[in-house]
Amino acid sequence: MAGRVQPVLAGVVTALVGFASSFTVVLAGLRAAGASDAQAASGLLALCVASGLAAAWLGWRHRIPMSVAWSTPGAALLVATGPPPGGWPVAVGAFLVAGVLIVAAGLFPPLGRAVAAIPKPVAGAMLAGVLLPLCTAPVRALVDLPTVAGPVVVGWLLLHRFARRWAVPGALVVAVVAITLTAPPAGLTGAALAPTVTLTTPAWNASALVGLALPLFLVTMAAQNVPGMAVLVGYGYRPPFGAALRATGLASLLAAPAGGHAVNLAAITAALAAGPDAHPDPERRWVASITAGAGLALLGLGAGAATALVAVAPPILIEAVAGLALLGALATALASAVTDPATREAAVVTFVVTASGVTLIGVGGAFWGLVAGCLMLLLFHRRSPAAPDQPAPAVPAPAAPRGFREVGVSGLGDAPTSLKSSRSRGDHSSGGRSATPTARRTRPSATDPIRSAGT
């Protein structure tokens, strides 16, 4: 009995942590893109339902714990970009185009591999530049609203030390209490607490396609879908990458007219459903994917109440909670950006241009940061000079493991295994003899989740 309940509880925890940790980021992003309170509530509801349906379908169809969520970095991109020319209808049109691109990446594997081939330092720097404005909000909130933001930050710090998984939900609870105590008595009177769906007729223009739709697609792929695959591969699964992209892309298209910006594989909460805490038997963990999807869809029924609460709160306080939720992602992105000295300057240029928030010919900083970083790599990249001939060593050095390489952004958030550490363990598939050669050939490689995953 306990074995049957365990994955169900793991799915419930996945849904609760995923929703509470980042719904403030979603609401902040949708409102920054021009949505009214009713449209933002509709977008949050649509994202919850679409993500829940996709998670339940993928888990049941493939018997793999594939968690699905909204694009948290994509919502941060909306905050950094602001309302596009043409307002909210144009933003909805960009959401639809991003969904089409995700489906296309699932239908045409070369497109997915092309996204994964973006240099990891440039992708990490672009993501860090997108996240930075929100991540500075806790500091600004402490200065502007010390009596309200102080308890939120202290609560986050204490839980981050002793129960890290619940740090952001705990900070959110403290913020809700603070809002309730400080909001005007009539603040929630007349607010629409029941969930409603508000459809928007999309519109398109060239600047929004380049400045919002394309960066939203790239951020969602690089910071969510590819790392989400890496988590599953790391736990020994061979998830169907193409099927996952098609399902999440269709879910994005379903949610977009109602205001949802993007649906993707979960990266932050994926380990909650795929790890051993969900069930000792990996073959039973897929149940957590279904219960997480059902739980997220049910939590969407509270979208109206959540939006009403955010509407009466000081905007800087909501941004502060969102910034606390994104600090871990910012740290991972910065580490990925500056690890390699050879590409560090290009990564810094990408980060600075993206974080500047500049808009040129109607296109936001995320696109120009990506362009600037790639140009830096093209202009200043130099091949390493060939080493001078050396006499042959007395003892031949063992050959490097065959197939060892790093792939673009596929390791975003995961430290790649180094060649040195592989040799120190004695893993030499060419020079030495492994004790279990068959297992080594079939084991998935977390350094390249796209090739390790099925189609």
Side-chain angles (χ1 to χ4, degrees), residues 21 35 51 68 161 191 193 205 222 224 257 299 335 372 375 390 413 431:
S21 297
S51 300
V68 178
R161 171 63 180 84
L193 302 183
N205 60 48
Q224 293 276 168
L299 287 171
L375 285 177
Q390 298 290 341

Side-chain angles (χ1 to χ4, degrees), residues 20-22 24-25 72 135 138 156 168 268 319-329:
S21 297
S22 57
T24 54
V25 186
T72 303
C135 289
W156 176 81
V168 176
I268 300 173
E319 292 182 8
V321 176
L324 293 174
L326 294 171
L327 282 177

Side-chain angles (χ1 to χ4, degrees), residues 19-210:
F19 183 89
S21 297
S22 57
F23 84 88
T24 54
V25 186
V26 172
L27 291 178
L30 296 179
R31 295 172 73 186
S36 65
D37 289 342
Q39 290 166 335
S42 174
L44 180 59
L45 171 63
L47 288 170
C48 289
V49 174
S51 300
L53 291 175
W57 164 254
L58 289 171
W60 177 81
R61 175 66 177 82
H62 300 286
R63 296 299 195 269
I64 294 176
M66 303 176 72
S67 301
V68 178
W70 51 63
S71 175
T72 303
L77 173 68
L78 299 181
V79 175
T81 304
W88 178 243
V90 173
V92 171
F95 301 163
L96 284 169
V97 173
V100 170
L101 290 175
I102 294 173
V103 173
L107 293 173
F108 306 103
L111 179 57
R113 286 194 289 269
V115 174
I118 297 174
K120 186 167 72 170
V122 172
M126 181 184 70
L127 178 60
V130 167
L131 299 179
L132 183 64
L134 270 179
C135 289
T136 60
V139 180
R140 290 181 277 117
L142 284 173
V143 175
D144 296 342
L145 301 169
T147 58
V148 179
V152 174
V153 174
V154 170
W156 176 81
L157 285 172
L158 291 175
L159 286 172
H160 196 269
R161 171 63 180 84
F162 297 105
R164 179 171 296 189
R165 179 185 301 175
W166 299 100
V168 176
L172 176 63
V173 171
V174 177
V176 169
V177 173
I179 294 169
T180 304
L181 294 177
T182 59
L188 293 175
T189 303
L193 302 183
T196 57
V197 175
T198 303
L199 299 179
T200 299
T201 302
W204 292 274
N205 60 48
S207 63
L209 294 179
V210 177

Side-chain angles (χ1 to χ4, degrees), residues 312-386:
V312 300
I316 188 62
L317 182 63
I318 300 304
E319 292 182 8
V321 176
L324 293 174
L326 294 171
L327 282 177
L330 176 63
T332 301
L334 286 173
S336 172
V338 300
T339 297
D340 187 358
T343 58
R344 189 170 295 161
E345 289 185 351
V348 170
V349 169
T350 304
F351 172 73
V352 170
V353 174
T354 303
S356 69
V358 297
T359 299
L360 183 63
I361 59 174
V363 178
F367 175 80
W368 296 119
L370 183 64
V371 170
C374 291
L375 285 177
M376 282 286 291
L377 288 179
L378 290 174
L379 291 174
F380 298 102
H381 178 69
R382 295 287 185 270
R383 292 183 179 273
S384 300

Side-chain angles (χ1 to χ4, degrees), residues 2-18 51-69 165 232 235 237 266 269-297:
R4 295 180 179 179
V5 173
Q6 189 174 358
V8 174
L9 293 178
V12 172
V13 171
T14 300
L16 285 173
V17 172
S51 300
L53 291 175
W57 164 254
L58 289 171
W60 177 81
R61 175 66 177 82
H62 300 286
R63 296 299 195 269
I64 294 176
M66 303 176 72
S67 301
V68 178
R165 179 185 301 175
L232 292 171
Y235 281 109
Y237 296 99
T269 57
L272 298 178
D277 290 341
H279 199 280
D281 183 6
E283 300 296 327
R284 294 292 302 165
R285 296 174 192 167
W286 62 272
V287 177
S289 176
I290 295 180
T291 55
L296 189 58

